[in-house]
Amino acid sequence: MSKQNNKNDFISITDLSVKETWQILFFAKKLKEELKKTGSNKTILQNKTLAMIFEKPSLRTRISFEAGMTQLGGHAIYLSPNDIGIRKTEWERESVSDTAKVVSTMTDMIMARTYSHDTIKKLALSSDIPVINGLSDLEHPCQILADLMTIWETKGKLKGLTIGYVGDGENNVTHSLVLASTMLGMNFKCGSPNKFWMKKEIVDKAIKIAKNNSYIKQTIDPEEAVKETDVVITDTWISMGDEEEKIKRVQIFQPYQVNKKLMHYAKKDAIFMHCLPAYRNHEVTSEVIDGPQSVVLQEAENRLHVQKALMCYLLKVIK
Ligand code: CP
Ligand code: NVA
């Protein structure tokens, strides 16, 4: 676990060791089962407050953290750019470090969704309380915890599986996914157009932490990327912040659409995943995302369970 000022942060998926990742997944499973069976969880985060800083819109991240805190007996505060104005230009309202220091005096944990990954890192450096990355331009580690739980629930294991990702390789979801894959002993194939391959620094790190001889393969061929895979994953072609390139991207990524024909290259029992929000008939056809192989709603729901477990872990309620 990454440590700043003697507290735990979750900025990259690699801030968790393999052991810590499994501890969180097992605790998430327990919380999920308890919630389904009894309708509630124990109030283990009673009197705890989460500050949620959002520079970008969100459905899943916001409601899963907010509902998660409520279910654990705590409270979450939503802070939009209109509320606090984290400074990126000279006269915006407040610096990142002043924001972090003040929030640290009144709450127990920060979750932030920012444009720049550096903003999250600065928040973590200046705060005295744990900071969680709720999505930056570089990584989306909370999403990947939910993806791991979903794969584990449907396939019964992680180690030895092969993931096939198709679409924008150079985005937050892909980066956290490749890191988690090799760290947990899964192979990762990525099919993207030439200029949209995963960042080299991320691939190098993923190779360095690889377990179980897991491999990474990058290709421009979408069929090669999903061939014989256990899990097919895609994401939007236009991430938040990429809107200016919309027309260009829609054209370039068209051959990377996940449709029934492409799914045939994966194993027969392969599942289809997407972090959502999805743009039907762009990166994925309705037939696939609404079809029998799709687990996207289970994946979205699991955001709630893994994040509750993560918050308990960061606040040292589970060890
Ligand atoms: N998958 C995900 O992070 O969704 P939101 O952008 O709605 O939070
Ligand atoms: N890659 C997407 C993920 C959305 C949850 C984005 O950054 O917009």
Side-chain angles (χ1 to χ4, degrees):
M1 178 64 71
S2 131
K3 288 202 190 300
Q4 312 274 3
N5 312 334
N6 208 22
K7 41 89 183 183
N8 295 326
D9 296 308
F10 186 56
I11 309 299
S12 164
I13 190 78
T14 57
D15 287 341
L16 296 175
S17 65
V18 173
K19 189 177 162 204
E20 287 169 328
T21 306
W22 278 111
Q23 274 174 308
I24 288 167
L25 293 180
F26 272 100
F27 194 59
K29 181 173 182 274
K30 198 172 142 190
L31 289 172
K32 184 175 180 176
E33 284 166 0
E34 188 180 67
L35 188 68
K36 302 258 179 212
K37 206 167 147 191
T38 68
S40 70
N41 291 125
K42 292 185 188 69
T43 53
I44 44 184
L45 293 187
Q46 201 166 18
N47 297 325
K48 300 287 183 197
T49 305
L50 171 74
M52 305 191 297
I53 297 173
F54 280 95
E55 287 184 348
K56 301 175 183 177
S58 166
L59 173 66
R60 281 142 291 271
T61 305
R62 178 182 175 179
I63 60 166
S64 52
F65 272 106
E66 195 163 332
M69 278 306 274
T70 305
Q71 289 165 14
L72 292 167
H75 178 67
I77 303 172
Y78 174 71
L79 300 160
S80 77
N82 290 339
D83 298 312
I84 59 172
I86 286 196
R87 188 182 299 151
K88 288 173 289 299
T89 57
E90 192 181 356
W91 290 110
E92 273 174 285
R93 196 161 187 273
E94 194 144 11
S95 70
V96 177
S97 65
D98 281 352
T99 306
K101 284 174 193 157
V102 172
V103 174
S104 297
T105 65
M106 298 183 210
T107 73
D108 302 280
M109 206 166 18
I110 298 171
M111 188 279 295
R113 167 169 286 195
T114 62
Y115 280 96
S116 161
H117 193 69
D118 275 348
T119 307
I120 304 253
K121 290 209 291 195
K122 278 187 200 152
L123 272 171
L125 268 176
S126 306
S127 80
D128 300 319
I129 55 177
V131 173
I132 299 170
N133 179 357
L135 181 149
S136 70
D137 57 357
L138 190 69
E139 278 207 51
H140 195 1
C142 292
Q143 179 63 50
I144 292 338
L145 280 181
D147 291 6
L148 293 174
M149 181 170 187
T150 310
I151 298 169
W152 177 40
E153 283 177 337
T154 49
K155 297 281 166 198
K157 63 174 186 177
L158 295 179
K159 205 160 136 184
L161 296 177
T162 302
I163 312 280
Y165 178 93
V166 190
D168 184 5
E170 202 189 11
N171 86 6
N172 38 27
V173 167
T174 328
H175 288 153
S176 294
L177 197 56
V178 68
L179 291 165
S181 298
T182 59
M183 178 172 95
L184 293 157
M186 296 187 284
N187 304 313
F188 190 81
K189 297 203 277 176
C190 184
S192 310
N194 256 328
K195 293 202 169 116
F196 296 90
W197 282 23
M198 297 177 283
K199 277 194 195 307
K200 189 179 175 308
E201 75 204 58
I202 296 282
V203 176
D204 289 347
K205 193 169 165 190
I207 291 170
K208 210 168 151 192
I209 60 173
K211 303 261 174 13
N212 192 41
N213 293 324
S214 55
Y215 65 81
I216 299 170
K217 180 173 184 146
Q218 294 203 83
T219 171
I220 55 162
D221 181 351
E223 291 165 7
E224 181 55 36
V226 302
K227 203 171 166 188
E228 286 300 306
T229 55
D230 301 283
V231 182
V232 177
I233 307 191
T234 190
D235 185 14
T236 178
W237 296 334
I238 302 137
S239 286
M240 292 175 276
D242 292 335
E243 290 82 0
E244 277 180 14
E245 295 180 4
K246 186 175 168 194
I247 294 170
K248 181 180 105 184
R249 281 174 174 260
V250 168
Q251 271 182 351
I252 292 175
F253 284 108
Q254 199 55 51
Y256 296 84
Q257 182 188 68
V258 179
N259 48 38
K260 226 176 156 185
K261 185 168 166 261
L262 191 68
M263 283 301 288
H264 278 308
Y265 287 88
K267 287 186 184 163
K268 271 205 173 63
D269 63 350
I271 52 170
F272 170 77
M273 298 177 71
H274 188 311
C275 67
L276 306 179
Y279 298 85
R280 279 173 173 71
N281 301 323
H282 288 288
E283 72 269 15
V284 58
T285 56
S286 299
E287 200 177 20
V288 170
I289 196 168
D290 300 324
Q293 287 169 288
S294 174
V295 293
V296 298
L297 291 179
Q298 184 181 344
E299 180 184 3
E301 184 198 319
N302 282 339
R303 292 290 303 275
L304 174 72
H305 310 298
V306 292
Q307 287 160 192
K308 282 159 75 177
L310 174 72
M311 290 191 287
C312 292
Y313 195 86
L314 294 174
L315 291 178
K316 302 180 178 153
V317 179
I318 57 157
K319 292 197 169 85

